[in-house]
Amino acid sequence: MDIKIRTLERKDLDLVHQLDNERMTMAFWFEEPYESFDELVSLYDKHIHDDRERRFVVDTDGKFAGILELVDIDFIHRTTEIQIIIENTFRGKGIATISMKKGLDYAFNTLNMYKVYLYVDVDNVRGLHIYKKLGFVEEGKLRKHFFANGKYHDSYLMGIFREEVKY
């Protein structure tokens, strides 16, 4: 299986739109589902030249398998948040782990970030397993910090430094 990350292009927006409209997927991202396609295009156009974000497609054997994003890139403090969504049919195959490694490599070795962090729902067992396996460390628990699917959720703030990544 050939897994790579590549820049998100306008041609990918139809597939991103499908991911953005999966209620359970977006709940793990603490985002509201059911985004309109026009809104997605508008956001893409607005952020295409934003230096504080990098958006990638997870490409598996030439197929769209998900998205990986580096957001809130801070070039003074050299920190960024990382986010990933893998499409349902590609889950459970190790694609998220490999993609996260590629995203971390980009953050540390291309953008020269000092620290990468993420937020993860305390009930997201799969995500927690992947992040801990990669070397992320729980830095704190945010109580009832995010609202999704009709209730508030606790979330872990997790972080990693370049030397902690388990490639």
Side-chain angles (χ1 to χ4, degrees):
M1 194 169 7
D2 180 34
I3 301 166
K4 61 184 174 187
I5 59 171
R6 62 170 175 78
T7 304
L8 175 70
E9 300 289 348
R10 183 177 299 277
K11 66 180 178 157
D12 301 310
L13 294 182
D14 279 332
L15 297 166
V16 172
H17 184 246
Q18 290 174 27
L19 282 178
D20 286 353
N21 282 281
E22 292 177 9
R23 185 178 183 88
M24 292 309 297
T25 297
M26 296 316 291
F28 277 128
W29 256 31
F30 309 113
E31 294 281 340
E32 181 182 350
Y34 313 126
E35 174 181 60
S36 77
F37 185 75
D38 289 339
E39 181 182 3
L40 179 62
V41 171
S42 177
L43 285 170
Y44 177 84
D45 290 340
K46 177 182 174 186
H47 292 285
I48 191 71
H49 298 291
D50 187 344
D51 286 343
R52 295 179 39 88
E53 299 180 355
R54 301 292 189 280
R55 299 188 189 280
F56 302 97
V57 165
V58 175
D59 183 297
T60 304
D61 295 326
K63 295 182 180 133
F64 179 96
I67 56 175
L68 182 132
E69 301 178 344
L70 299 171
V71 297
D72 294 327
I73 298 169
D74 186 326
F75 287 103
I76 294 173
H77 302 293
R78 295 180 31 230
T79 60
T80 187
E81 180 182 351
I82 193 167
Q83 304 172 335
I84 190 167
I85 299 176
I86 299 298
E87 202 270 330
N88 284 332
T89 58
F90 290 93
R91 291 182 187 157
K93 300 177 182 181
I95 294 168
T97 301
I98 293 167
S99 301
M100 285 290 290
K101 286 179 184 179
K102 291 177 184 290
L104 290 169
D105 180 67
Y106 188 90
F108 289 125
N109 298 314
T110 300
L111 298 179
N112 193 31
M113 291 290 107
Y114 180 69
K115 179 181 181 178
V116 176
Y117 62 92
L118 57 83
Y119 300 94
V120 60
D121 190 307
V122 298
D123 296 324
N124 185 347
V125 176
R126 280 182 158 174
L128 284 166
H129 173 75
I130 291 167
Y131 306 142
K132 288 178 181 179
K133 183 168 64 172
L134 289 169
F136 277 88
V137 175
E138 290 176 19
E139 297 185 347
K141 182 177 180 181
L142 304 170
R143 298 178 308 133
K144 297 183 181 182
H145 194 74
F146 293 104
F147 185 81
N149 281 338
K151 67 178 188 172
Y152 284 94
H153 296 255
D154 292 348
S155 174
Y156 291 122
L157 171 61
M158 300 181 80
I160 193 167
F161 299 103
R162 179 189 322 252
E163 64 274 7
E164 294 175 330
V165 178
K166 297 174 183 168
Y167 291 106

